[in-house]
Amino acid sequence: MTVRDATLHKRIRADISDRILSGAWPPGHRVPAEHELMAQYGCSRMTVNKALAPLAENGLIVRRRRAGSFVSRPRIHSAVLDIPDIAAEVTGRGETYGYELLARTERRASAADCAALGLDEAARVLALRCLHRAGGAPFALEERLINLGAAPEAAEVDFARTAPGGWLLAHIPWTEAEHRISAANVAPAMARTLRIAPTAACLVLERRTWRGADRITHVRLTFPGEAYDLVARFAPSAGEPG
């Protein structure tokens, strides 16, 4: 490989990464084929492969034999929980899914908003409160903050028609996620929304996502205890005791 090629593969990788992380290429977008990149940058197939390989290793693209490369559709995985899209979760149980936007506010981030999103300074945020239903009954209350600095297009979306989780997954790529799982009793007003007794136990799932250094969203999902359970199957690592 020439000195020029050694520099060029980094440029190609950076160009593709920038398009993905900026949202210009959304999840599922087809990356130009190898021969197209070779023509565009005037380089060898080896240089293109050297540019694409780290993107695949980092999970930004998926390379499919004979089909080409595509921007990844990220899924959240943790050692204890895999959280699917709520609509898919409900319909997968054979129940009718329902969704209602309860509140929508665009505002300058408060101190609490900054703490939840992990922002260092106040920014513009979109605060959403939504109710998900399964078979007509409350399934989950969603309280979400979206950092409009990282996802400005969210301000134009009609979230009365579209659930924010599904929209974010389809349109805003992310590179890292954090989960927090807890049990809680909820305030009387939330208990009424979920149609449960104030003393009933609830499962609370909190998630934050990042795109590089940008904080994208913080969501708190509250499930009535009987509506959701955690199931995980494990295999011991080599050398672990039984």
Side-chain angles (χ1 to χ4, degrees):
M1 180 178 291
T2 67
V3 174
R4 175 180 175 274
D5 284 345
T7 303
L8 189 54
H9 83 266
K10 295 179 182 178
R11 177 187 158 198
I12 298 170
R13 183 168 72 237
D15 287 350
I16 294 174
S17 178
D18 287 347
R19 290 184 176 96
I20 294 172
L21 295 179
S22 70
W25 288 359
H29 179 88
R30 181 182 174 277
V31 177
E34 290 184 5
H35 69 273
E36 294 173 315
L37 292 171
M38 290 166 59
Q40 179 180 345
Y41 290 93
C43 64
S44 68
R45 186 178 297 274
M46 181 183 297
T47 299
V48 169
N49 277 321
K50 193 171 181 64
L52 296 179
L55 296 174
E57 291 172 5
N58 293 333
L60 286 180
I61 66 171
V62 176
R63 304 181 77 181
R64 298 172 185 162
R65 189 175 181 183
R66 297 181 181 177
S69 299
F70 300 84
V71 178
S72 296
R73 298 182 183 275
R75 288 183 172 83
I76 301 170
H77 295 285
S78 74
V80 296
L81 183 64
D82 176 18
I83 303 179
D85 179 72
I86 292 179
E89 171 74 4
V90 171
T91 55
R93 296 180 178 208
E95 298 180 272
T96 302
Y97 171 71
Y99 164 80
E100 180 183 358
L101 177 66
L102 302 178
R104 179 191 185 282
T105 305
E106 186 177 337
R107 65 187 184 226
R108 184 174 178 83
S110 65
D113 295 338
C114 289
L117 281 165
L119 297 174
D120 295 328
E121 58 184 29
R124 298 294 297 177
V125 298
L126 182 63
L128 303 167
R129 195 165 184 266
C130 321
L131 182 64
H132 302 268
R133 294 187 176 89
F139 181 75
L141 183 67
E142 174 177 344
E143 298 167 291
R144 182 182 293 273
L145 292 170
I146 299 175
N147 176 14
L148 293 177
E153 54 268 58
E156 307 302 322
V157 178
D158 183 2
F159 287 116
R161 292 174 172 239
T162 303
W167 180 85
L168 284 164
L169 188 62
H171 294 89
I172 306 297
W174 55 268
T175 57
E176 186 178 357
E178 174 188 86
H179 280 153
R180 181 177 180 181
I181 306 166
S182 60
N185 296 114
V186 297
M190 186 180 292
R192 288 193 294 271
T193 300
L194 292 172
R195 298 185 201 166
I196 58 175
T199 56
C202 291
L203 177 69
V204 178
L205 306 178
E206 292 185 74
R207 182 168 72 248
R208 292 195 293 178
T209 57
W210 290 261
R211 182 177 62 204
D214 293 333
R215 273 67 171 176
I216 300 173
T217 187
H218 172 272
V219 61
R220 178 183 173 96
L221 296 165
T222 303
F223 298 86
E226 71 276 5
Y228 206 91
D229 53 11
L230 301 177
V231 179
R233 185 172 181 174
F234 301 92
S237 300
E240 277 192 355

